[in-house]
Amino acid sequence: MKTTKTLTAALVVILTATAAWALVNPSLQPIHLYDRYKVVLVAQVVSADLTNEDEDVESGRIKLKVIAVHNGKFAGKEIVIDVPARKSRVEPKHEASEDWNIWDVSEKGRTFVAFVGKKRRRGEKDILLYCGDRQWHHASITDPAKPAGWTYQAASADVMVGTFNGQSDRLAEMMGDTKSGTAFFPADVNVRLNKDIAVGKVPGAAGGVALFDLDDDGDLDVLACSQKGVRAFLQEGKMKFADATEKLGLAGVSGISCGLADVNGDGRSDLLIDTQLLLKTEKGFAKANAPVVKLDKPLKVSSFVELNGDGNPDILLSSDGGGLTALLGDGKGAFTDATAKLGLDGAECGAGGNGYFAPGDWNGDGKTDIYYAAGKGLILVQDAKGAFAPTKDKLAMDYRCSPDYKPGKTGAGCFATVWKSDAMDIVNPGDSSLAILANVKGAASDVSVDGNEIGLCAARQIATLAEDLNMDGYPDLYTISRDVIQKNQFHTNRGYGSFMDATLYLDSAFGEAHSKGAWGVAAGDVNRDGMNDLLMGHGDGTITIVISGAAEVRKATENPTYHAKKLQQTCIVSVMLKGTGVVGADVSLVDSKSNTILRRSVATQVLTGCRGPNGVNLAVREPGDYTLQVRFADGTVKKQKITVGKIKHESVTVSNG
């Protein structure tokens, strides 16, 4: 894989990257190991007994229970690894493995993935072990007549972290998928976001943006916010945008944040600009008779969010020093302040704080929860009565920003299925960091350390959008920088909890818009090819659509690689939602074994006051029969059987009422 960056820049990145973030090695990936070894098995530690704990010796025995054999045949249900004294082992030959110790990763219950017996000559006894914590180790079969007896050798002298450095149980999962032929763990850049289309400009710096059908003609249009005036651009003809601000009744309207939802049940999507509600009419938008709310603190972000499960759009606002404010909608266009009723006025829920928020279903109970990027981070979960309370997780997020290191200019994250396909995780940007908080057995766990190149971030970050931008079935991470001379950041989701920084390998995959930061970002299929495109509002006021070129990467080729075949057979299912409870709706694709293959939520990526379309685009890699399941925000569940593979791009509309 070739990089287009200069040699100097590449060396700087490589030399400053830690082992946890080591660059992806495209020639040595788990699928290659699967083919090179006779046996691939998964085992769990039963016991680890150090018979001599002296630091210079550390000898003992590790016992493993075989859980699964994914390749080849293996006799025996238990493995015994004898660990000789240190002086008998081969010392690591690279800095990254100097502190690796087999005993550090041998606690009871730990998952080991073992590649046993190379297929080439004189490698029949070789064993490669992955134990998690970015640790690869070598062992050998002690006696070929007893293949379950192994002798430990040393930590890997090769830089194996470029192969896989995530959690060992995720590698075990990948090996199971490799056996079934469904694994997908690409090591090549399959994203193209270098086709910039200038839409227009707002006066002053741009704020939140919306990629939404404003005139109900089926095409996505553009709305961009600014403190000096919002601008609306209608798509008139394919990919031709015209300023329709005055036509839509938005002349003189200004604000930094936007939201769209049908608040009065007339079938039209109304508009929220900061704290001002504008109702959609046949001619455009008209200001409501009264303002939604008056805040005594500067507004940070506002959005339509479904809060109480009745399907009616509610409003959530965050202000600088004023915490969160919640307004419940009655479905007829009126809103009532319910901040205290919902428990959001308490100090434990961040009252008086300053931070961005993200709505999503954290615990899988179907109710909207809130991630609030204030203090060190709060996960606010609804109880049975609808009141919010913080979880017991002791988060340690840092929202301080240079140059004064005051909080509040970063942390605009979201909920998305970036760690597992069936659970909503929290994606949280810091000023120059990125964290993924996964719900592991009911507790928030920062899994970022196991995410490979996710540790390589931009500077002065403000928000992260989670969306499948290369349409391979995995939500990617696009992080915008508030600095007009700073590049944004794209992390390709490779699956199994691993990410890569695509710009390290193919800088030409990104255009000029990627290099000038942004204060707002949204995603959706602008040109109706099934691929998610990007909308960005920049600090200099320019508004840009970046058309996805992901389809170019998956064109049919001679002798395609395994992963290229997967991309070439991938089909797109575009799902459009209508009716009650669209804001906060949950869309899932379930296979014949009741496994959730894909899951997305609608209108929840608020970020800096942004809005995407009333639908999702699902990239399905494996042809077959599925159930499309939509849970609307009022609890209504709609199910529909679909067969994927007959056509490359299928559009489905699901209505609620």
Side-chain angles (χ1 to χ4, degrees):
M1 185 182 299
K2 295 181 179 180
T3 176
T4 58
K5 289 194 172 184
T6 65
L7 178 60
T8 301
L11 286 175
V12 169
V13 174
I14 293 171
L15 292 174
T16 56
T18 69
W21 304 334
L23 302 183
V24 172
N25 180 355
S27 64
L28 185 62
Q29 292 297 304
I31 192 171
H32 302 131
L33 298 176
Y34 188 92
D35 290 335
R36 292 177 189 178
Y37 285 80
K38 296 179 180 179
V39 175
V40 179
L41 62 83
V42 179
Q44 283 186 342
V45 176
V46 175
S47 62
D49 299 317
L50 256 170
T51 55
N52 191 330
E53 298 184 14
D54 186 280
E55 185 177 349
D56 295 325
V57 180
E58 289 187 337
S59 61
R61 173 170 286 185
I62 301 170
K63 292 184 178 181
L64 307 175
K65 178 175 66 174
V66 177
I67 303 300
V69 178
H70 292 311
N71 191 22
K73 295 181 180 180
F74 187 80
K77 297 295 183 180
E78 186 179 79
I79 295 168
V80 175
I81 305 177
D82 287 315
V83 184
R86 273 186 177 271
K87 62 182 180 180
S88 301
R89 308 179 208 163
V90 178
E91 290 298 321
K93 296 179 181 179
H94 67 101
E95 183 180 355
S97 63
E98 285 182 357
D99 297 325
W100 288 1
N101 190 323
I102 189 65
W103 298 108
D104 294 339
V105 289
S106 297
E107 72 272 15
K108 186 176 181 180
R110 165 81 69 159
T111 297
F112 278 28
V113 179
F115 302 87
V116 184
K118 290 180 181 176
K119 294 180 180 178
R120 63 177 175 80
R121 292 181 60 187
R122 292 186 293 182
E124 296 90 344
K125 296 170 62 177
D126 293 351
I127 298 168
L128 183 64
L129 291 169
Y130 185 69
C131 316
D133 287 0
R134 299 160 301 285
Q135 294 201 26
W136 289 84
H137 296 266
H138 291 290
S140 64
I141 298 174
T142 308
D143 181 354
K146 299 177 180 179
W150 300 352
T151 300
Y152 177 74
Q153 293 176 332
S156 174
D158 301 315
V159 186
M160 296 293 294
V161 286
T163 304
F164 181 86
N165 73 323
Q167 293 185 357
S168 55
D169 59 348
R170 301 307 305 273
L171 180 59
E173 178 187 340
M174 188 198 307
M175 293 298 94
D177 290 344
T178 303
K179 180 180 181 180
S180 66
T182 60
F184 188 72
F185 191 65
D188 295 310
V189 177
N190 54 15
V191 64
R192 298 293 186 275
L193 290 170
N194 51 14
K195 297 179 180 179
D196 299 348
I197 295 178
V199 175
K201 198 167 186 176
V202 295
V209 295
L211 196 55
F212 196 86
D213 186 1
L214 297 174
D215 56 359
D216 302 314
D217 66 350
D219 292 322
L220 292 183
D221 307 304
V222 170
L223 180 73
C225 295
S226 170
Q227 289 180 326
K228 296 183 179 181
V230 304
R231 293 291 184 269
F233 304 90
L234 296 182
Q235 187 174 176
E236 299 177 349
K238 192 171 183 179
M239 299 307 299
K240 294 181 179 180
F241 293 86
D243 191 325
T245 307
E246 187 171 347
K247 176 182 177 180
L248 292 176
L250 297 177
V253 177
S254 62
I256 59 174
S257 187
C258 63
L260 286 138
D262 180 8
V263 303
N264 55 7
D266 65 356
R268 302 187 182 100
S269 293
D270 307 301
L271 179 61
L272 178 70
I273 299 293
D274 289 357
T275 60
Q276 177 65 61
L277 179 64
L278 299 102
L279 300 179
K280 182 72 177 295
T281 69
E282 292 183 358
K283 296 182 179 180
F285 294 96
K287 293 183 180 180
N289 293 330
V292 172
V293 66
K294 292 183 179 179
L295 299 176
D296 58 1
K297 301 290 185 180
L299 179 78
K300 177 173 290 292
V301 64
S302 65
S303 181
F304 287 119
V305 177
E306 210 293 328
L307 292 172
N308 59 354
D310 63 2
N312 299 322
D314 307 308
I315 295 175
L316 191 62
L317 309 100
S318 173
S319 53
D320 187 348
L324 299 174
T325 300
L327 309 171
L328 296 183
D330 64 357
K332 299 178 182 179
F335 292 85
T336 303
D337 192 324
T339 308
K341 177 182 177 181
L342 298 180
L344 295 174
D345 62 337
E348 69 279 6
C349 288
N354 174 23
Y356 291 100
F357 63 79
D361 185 2
W362 171 246
N363 53 10
D365 63 357
K367 297 179 180 178
T368 299
D369 306 308
I370 302 169
Y371 177 68
Y372 186 31
K376 292 187 177 181
L378 292 169
I379 302 174
L380 307 177
V381 176
Q382 276 198 73
D383 61 20
K385 296 182 180 180
F388 289 90
T391 63
K392 296 180 180 180
D393 300 285
K394 298 296 183 182
L395 303 183
M397 301 296 106
D398 189 354
Y399 309 109
R400 294 173 298 172
C401 305
S402 59
D404 55 10
Y405 292 96
K406 293 182 179 180
K409 292 183 180 179
T410 188
C414 59
F415 282 83
T417 54
V418 295
W419 185 250
K420 292 285 185 81
S421 63
D422 59 351
M424 290 291 174
D425 315 300
I426 297 170
V427 180
N428 178 75
D431 198 38
S432 57
S433 63
L434 189 59
I436 297 175
L437 303 178
N439 190 333
V440 179
K441 297 180 180 180
S445 176
D446 188 347
V447 295
S448 311
V449 68
D450 297 310
N452 207 304
E453 292 170 11
I454 201 170
L456 301 173
C457 297
R460 297 176 64 79
Q461 298 176 156
I462 184 171
T464 298
L465 173 82
E467 187 52 89
D468 190 354
L469 295 174
N470 55 12
M471 299 309 294
D472 64 358
Y474 297 138
D476 307 300
L477 304 179
Y478 194 85
T479 304
I480 55 175
S481 170
R482 59 189 184 276
D483 194 327
V484 296
I485 60 172
Q486 173 66 47
K487 288 186 177 182
N488 298 325
Q489 189 76 19
F490 183 90
H491 287 102
T492 297
N493 188 347
R494 303 176 65 205
Y496 307 99
S498 187
F499 296 82
M500 68 186 296
D501 178 357
T503 60
L504 293 178
Y505 309 95
L506 191 64
D507 198 32
S508 62
F510 302 90
E512 182 181 352
H514 179 77
S515 303
K516 54 188 294 186
W519 275 83
V521 63
D525 181 9
V526 182
N527 57 358
R528 295 193 182 188
D529 65 350
M531 306 292 166
N532 285 314
D533 309 303
L534 278 179
L535 169 68
M536 284 188 275
H538 303 280
D540 62 2
T542 58
I543 310 300
T544 308
I545 287 178
V546 184
I547 298 298
S548 171
E552 299 173 6
V553 186
R554 62 192 66 197
K555 290 181 179 179
T557 57
E558 293 185 12
N559 304 316
T561 63
Y562 171 90
H563 290 102
K565 288 180 182 178
K566 291 295 181 184
L567 283 176
Q568 290 170 15
Q569 74 182 28
T570 297
C571 297
I572 310 299
V573 179
S574 296
V575 184
M576 179 60 64
L577 304 187
K578 293 185 177 181
T580 304
V582 171
V583 174
D586 190 281
V587 181
S588 299
L589 196 67
V590 182
D591 69 9
S592 59
K593 297 180 180 179
S594 299
N595 297 314
T596 299
I597 304 302
L598 295 165
R599 182 183 174 195
R600 302 286 187 272
S601 59
V602 177
T604 59
Q605 302 223 28
V606 174
L607 307 183
T608 55
C610 302
R611 177 67 150 91
N614 281 346
V616 297
N617 298 301
L618 306 176
V620 190
R621 292 190 302 272
E622 301 297 329
D625 296 326
Y626 296 88
T627 298
L628 177 65
Q629 179 173 298
V630 179
R631 184 190 185 280
F632 288 89
D634 64 352
T636 301
V637 176
K638 301 280 187 176
K639 295 183 179 181
Q640 181 175 336
K641 298 290 185 180
I642 62 172
T643 299
V644 177
K646 293 181 179 180
I647 57 176
K648 284 294 184 180
H649 184 198
E650 179 178 3
S651 297
V652 179
T653 298
V654 183
S655 299
N656 181 28

